[in-house]
């Protein structure tokens, strides 16, 4: 009992025994192997200083200290100057340097592990301990050197993907303290000639407060005005006003096919013309565009792991009948859903039995859900899938040099609920007024100015909520966002002469003071998808329209 204790102390205090395990007992050689392994894992270079080449150990230790310094510096920048950090990390050269550095660290750590294996003197270990230390070393090499090598691959892959998506031009300055970007959802579906942007939104963000406004333009919007510097004024001096052939989502294809010569330096003439049309319509300068291929939209959502939203109303979409397997309408029921890519696309696109306004609201909801749930954890855990999906999904003229600052602005914008305005029903009257067909641009410009002026009022009223200002808050909300009852009334639901009380659950007439009763089947049981399918087969449109009436109501669920 005394001899091992003395030998251990002699080993512990003897540098010769640590550097030459032949003077140590079997137990001490085991401890020595564990110590060297731990040093290489937690203090790369420590094993070499203790038992090998001190010059190599000092060099490795200096690199280790340098890496920890960079990590701490990055953490300090993240909490104090996040925009600067993101701007640096999204530059092509910085990303290339980071990939090379990570690859170098992976190789260097691998060499240290191999040298540690040599220093352990594997042959001198106890037979039962040899497989344990061998497996441990293999696992640690995979986690450390392998992990760094994989990180280098991801960074390089991200560098190539971002260079392929974003332009190389100079940064775009904000105008009057705002950044305005056009978001187009393009679709080249079957039976269509060329690409048409069916989803058209302009997102305006305040540079200082990060508050945002989402302007939605119905796809059948007519008579759009072009900005003063637009070459399309040569073709349509009074605006895009040739009747039903000049709805806004036809403009992209028309310019691409017939007037691309007017945009000799443009990467995408159709997108440039869309920017000018929305700019002139809203009387706001647009600084860039992002066009999303709706055919690949589902890939991005799948890469994110899906999106979660809470919905109201029933939303029809194409699917196969659960019993007959025939192709027809399925329905998303009200409640919380985590949609995969195809489901999210079907949910956002649906307009059957409801209205274009409901469709626009659902599109906005899916977009907000993607922003709200696009967290750093999502980026880190699904980086490869996101990069692969993004390369074939996005087209933009936003410069890569500005990507970091815009990402920082987007992170801050997540803390605010955006204001919204639709250039049509119900924000500008009921559908019967045909505002999207005959727009009043003075009214549009006044509403745009009003929304910009209202920024900051939400935070102020939350901080100073009193009975006196509550009425004013409700008035402001009525002017900036459609009320739920208003949006519900805009959908083409059943009229009293077409309603069926036995089927609709004896619903009372909808009014501003009484919420509609929950829809039920004739026997009082809740609605089901199977019942709605049967109602469709029976041609009972009143039931279907009533079920879909409130399907614009959607709330993103934050991750």
């Amino acid at each position: 009992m005394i001899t091992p204790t003395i030998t251990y102390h002699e080993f512990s205090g003897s540098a010769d025994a640590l550097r030459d395990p032949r003077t140590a007992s079997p137990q001490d050689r085991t401890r020595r192997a564990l110590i060297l392994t731990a040093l290489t894992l937690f203090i790369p270079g420590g094993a070499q200083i203790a038992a090998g080449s001190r010059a190599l150990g000092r060099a490795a230790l200096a690199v280790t200290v340098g890496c920890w310094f960079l990590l701490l510096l990055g953490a300090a920048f993240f909490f104090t100057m996040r925009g600067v950090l993101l701007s640096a990390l999204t530059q092509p050269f910085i990303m290339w340097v980071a990939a090379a550095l990570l690859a170098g660290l992976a190789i260097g750590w691998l060499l240290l592990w191999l040298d540690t294996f040599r220093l352990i003197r594997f042959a001198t270990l106890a037979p039962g301990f040899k497989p344990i230390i061998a497996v441990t070393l293999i696992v640690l090499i995979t986690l450390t050197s392998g992990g760094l090598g994989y990180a280098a691959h991801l960074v390089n892959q991200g560098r190539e993907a971002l260079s392929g998506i974003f332009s190389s031009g100079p940064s775009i300055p904000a105008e009057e303290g705002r950044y305005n970007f056009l978001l187009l959802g393009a679709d080249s579906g079957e039976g269509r000639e060329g690409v048409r942007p069916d989803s058209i939104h302009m997102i305006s963000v305040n540079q200082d407060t990060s508050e945002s406004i989402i302007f939605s333009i119905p796809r059948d919007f007519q008579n759009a005005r072009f900005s003063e510097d637009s070459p399309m004024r040569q073709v349509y001096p009074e605006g895009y006003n040739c009747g039903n052939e000049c709805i806004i989502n036809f403009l992209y294809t028309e310019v691409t096919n017939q007037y691309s010569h007017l945009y000799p330096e443009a990467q995408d003439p159709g997108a440039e013309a869309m920017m000018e049309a929305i700019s002139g319509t809203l009387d706001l300068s647009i600084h860039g565009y992002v066009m999303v291929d709706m055919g690949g939209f589902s890939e991005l959502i799948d890469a994110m792991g899906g999106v979660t939203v809470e919905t109201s109303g029933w939303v029809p979409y194409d699917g196969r009948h659960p019993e007959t397997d025939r192709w027809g309408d399925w329905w998303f029921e009200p409640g919380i859903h985590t949609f995969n890519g195809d489901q999210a696309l079907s949910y956002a696109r649906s307009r059957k039995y409801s209205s274009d306004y409901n469709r626009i609201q659902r599109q906005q909801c899916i977009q907000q859900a993607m922003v709200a749930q696009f967290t750093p954890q999502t980026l880190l855990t699904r980086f490869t899938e996101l990069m692969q999906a993004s390369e074939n999904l996005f087209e933009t003229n936003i410069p890569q040099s500005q990507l970091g600052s815009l990402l920082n602005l987007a992170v801050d914008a997540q803390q605010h609920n955006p204001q919204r305005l639709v250039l049509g029903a119900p924000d500008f009257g009921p559908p019967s007024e045909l505002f999207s067909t005959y727009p009043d641009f003075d009214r549009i410009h006044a509403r745009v100015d009003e929304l910009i002026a209202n920024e900051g009022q939400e935070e102020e009223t939350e901080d100073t909520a009193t009975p006196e200002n509550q009425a004013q808050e409700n008035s402001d909300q009525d002017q900036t966002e459609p009320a739920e009852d208003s949006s519900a009334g805009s959908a083409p639901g059943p009229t009293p002469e077409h309603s069926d009380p036995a089927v609709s659950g004896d619903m009372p007439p909808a009014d501003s003071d009484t919420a509609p009763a929950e829809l039920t089947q004739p026997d009082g049981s809740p609605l089901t998808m199977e019942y709605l399918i049967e109602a469709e087969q029976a041609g009972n449109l009143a039931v279907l329209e009533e079920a879909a009436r409130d399907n614009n109501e959607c709330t993103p669920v934050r991750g």
Side-chain angles (χ1 to χ4, degrees):
M1 296 296 294
I2 298 176
T3 303
T5 304
I6 296 174
T7 304
Y8 173 71
H9 283 293
E10 290 176 350
F11 162 70
S12 301
S14 172
D16 292 337
L18 185 60
R19 300 183 69 84
D20 186 359
R22 291 175 297 179
T23 62
S25 67
Q27 294 87 345
D28 289 336
R29 287 197 292 269
T30 298
R31 296 189 185 95
R32 176 181 180 276
L34 293 175
I35 291 172
L36 295 179
T37 301
L39 285 173
T40 302
L41 175 62
F42 296 107
I43 311 175
Q48 283 68 34
I49 292 177
S53 171
R54 288 191 173 91
L56 175 61
R58 292 190 189 98
L61 192 58
V63 172
T64 301
V65 172
C67 291
W68 278 110
F69 174 77
L70 286 177
L71 288 175
L72 293 175
L73 183 64
F77 268 79
F78 180 82
F79 289 108
T80 58
M81 293 183 287
R82 186 179 57 201
V84 175
L85 178 65
L86 291 176
S87 296
L89 294 179
T90 52
Q91 301 308 307
F93 177 74
I94 298 295
M95 297 183 74
W96 180 86
V97 170
L101 178 61
L102 289 170
L105 291 174
I107 295 172
W109 213 340
L110 176 61
L111 294 177
L112 291 178
W113 281 118
L114 294 177
D115 190 56
T116 300
F117 179 80
R118 177 185 66 83
L119 295 175
I120 287 174
R121 306 286 179 88
F122 195 73
T124 66
L125 298 178
F129 187 68
K130 289 180 180 180
I132 296 176
I133 194 66
V135 171
T136 300
L137 287 173
I138 292 172
V139 170
L140 293 179
I141 289 173
T142 302
L143 292 176
T144 55
S145 294
L148 286 173
Y150 183 62
H153 166 71
L154 293 182
V155 172
N156 188 60
Q157 186 181 40
R159 178 184 64 85
E160 294 175 349
L162 293 179
S163 297
I165 296 172
F166 294 90
S167 69
S168 57
S171 297
I172 303 170
E175 187 166 337
E176 297 183 356
R178 309 193 69 83
Y179 284 111
N180 303 316
F181 296 102
L182 183 63
L183 179 61
L184 302 173
D187 195 357
S188 54
E190 183 178 354
R192 290 188 171 188
E193 181 181 352
V195 172
R196 293 182 189 172
D198 277 351
S199 174
I200 307 169
H201 306 277
M202 202 278 278
I203 301 175
S204 179
V205 186
N206 187 304
Q207 183 185 25
D208 296 326
T209 67
S210 303
E211 295 176 271
S212 60
I213 308 171
I214 300 176
F215 300 97
S216 298
I217 296 87
R219 65 192 186 94
D220 59 354
F221 188 89
Q222 296 185 33
N223 301 302
R225 290 182 175 178
F226 294 100
S227 57
E228 294 183 0
D229 58 348
S230 172
M232 285 301 293
R233 281 183 170 241
Q234 304 173 27
V235 184
Y236 296 104
E238 303 299 325
Y240 197 45
N241 63 347
C242 62
N244 290 336
E245 297 301 317
C246 280
I247 64 175
I248 191 67
N249 81 324
F250 284 5
L251 176 63
Y252 182 94
T253 304
E254 181 176 343
V255 171
T256 300
N257 294 339
Q258 300 180 36
Y259 302 111
S260 58
H261 62 279
L262 297 177
Y263 299 88
E265 299 180 1
Q267 172 186 342
D268 188 334
E272 291 289 337
M274 292 292 294
M275 289 173 58
E276 293 165 354
I278 305 305
S279 174
T281 297
L282 295 174
D283 195 26
L284 289 174
S285 297
I286 297 182
H287 304 102
Y289 73 91
V290 177
M291 187 160 68
V292 182
D293 176 12
M294 300 302 288
F297 182 75
S298 62
E299 297 180 17
L300 181 63
I301 292 181
D302 285 336
M304 291 180 60
V307 291
T308 303
V309 297
E310 184 173 2
T311 70
S312 297
W314 290 77
V315 179
Y317 69 102
D318 287 339
R320 293 190 181 277
H321 192 282
E323 296 178 358
T324 66
D325 199 41
R326 289 191 300 179
W327 198 261
D329 280 331
W330 276 31
W331 295 75
F332 294 117
E333 65 182 27
I336 295 178
H337 295 271
T338 297
F339 291 132
N340 63 27
D342 289 339
Q343 291 170 335
L345 193 59
S346 297
Y347 176 80
R349 278 178 163 174
S350 176
R351 60 175 176 268
K352 197 171 185 180
Y353 308 126
S354 57
S355 66
D356 268 341
Y357 169 74
N358 287 28
R359 182 176 188 251
I360 289 172
Q361 291 293 90
R362 281 185 265 106
Q363 289 173 353
Q364 291 179 344
C365 181
I366 292 294
Q367 292 166 1
Q368 292 172 40
M370 292 177 67
V371 172
Q373 295 162 36
F374 191 80
T375 62
Q377 293 86 348
T378 302
L379 181 62
L380 290 175
T381 57
R382 296 180 175 271
F383 187 86
T384 299
E385 295 91 339
L386 289 169
M387 288 299 101
Q388 290 174 347
S390 299
E391 280 190 271
N392 300 319
L393 181 65
F394 291 107
E395 175 192 316
T396 182
N397 64 345
I398 296 175
Q400 187 174 354
S401 60
Q402 200 166 8
L403 177 58
S405 60
L406 293 179
L407 283 175
N408 184 57
L409 190 61
V411 171
D412 290 336
Q414 287 183 319
Q415 310 303 318
H416 305 278
N417 292 322
Q419 300 183 84
R420 305 182 187 90
L421 182 69
V422 179
L423 303 192
D427 291 357
F428 288 93
S432 59
E433 289 190 10
L434 301 178
F435 186 88
S436 297
T437 304
Y438 307 103
D440 183 333
F441 292 97
D442 289 337
R443 288 180 62 191
I444 292 175
H445 299 164
R447 292 293 296 276
V448 170
D449 293 341
E450 183 180 339
L451 289 176
I452 293 175
N454 283 344
E455 285 182 335
Q457 291 190 11
E458 176 183 356
E459 286 76 6
E460 291 176 8
T461 53
E462 287 177 354
D463 293 339
T464 60
T466 64
E468 291 78 13
N469 63 28
Q470 186 63 44
Q472 180 63 38
E473 176 181 332
N474 294 336
S475 174
D476 291 340
Q477 182 178 0
D478 291 340
Q479 294 176 357
T480 58
E481 290 189 28
E484 291 185 0
D485 289 341
S486 171
S487 65
S490 70
T495 58
E497 61 268 23
H498 292 102
S499 62
D500 185 350
V503 174
S504 62
D506 297 325
M507 287 183 58
D511 55 47
S512 59
D513 299 322
T514 305
E518 181 180 357
L519 291 175
T520 63
Q521 299 184 44
D523 61 2
S525 60
L527 286 185
T528 64
M529 181 175 66
E530 289 75 15
Y531 176 73
L532 293 175
I533 291 175
E534 292 174 2
E536 182 178 27
Q537 292 173 343
N540 196 338
L541 295 182
V543 172
L544 303 176
E545 291 173 346
E546 189 66 27
R549 186 184 66 173
D550 295 331
N551 68 17
N552 62 296
E553 297 176 9
C554 170
T555 304
V557 177
R558 293 183 179 272

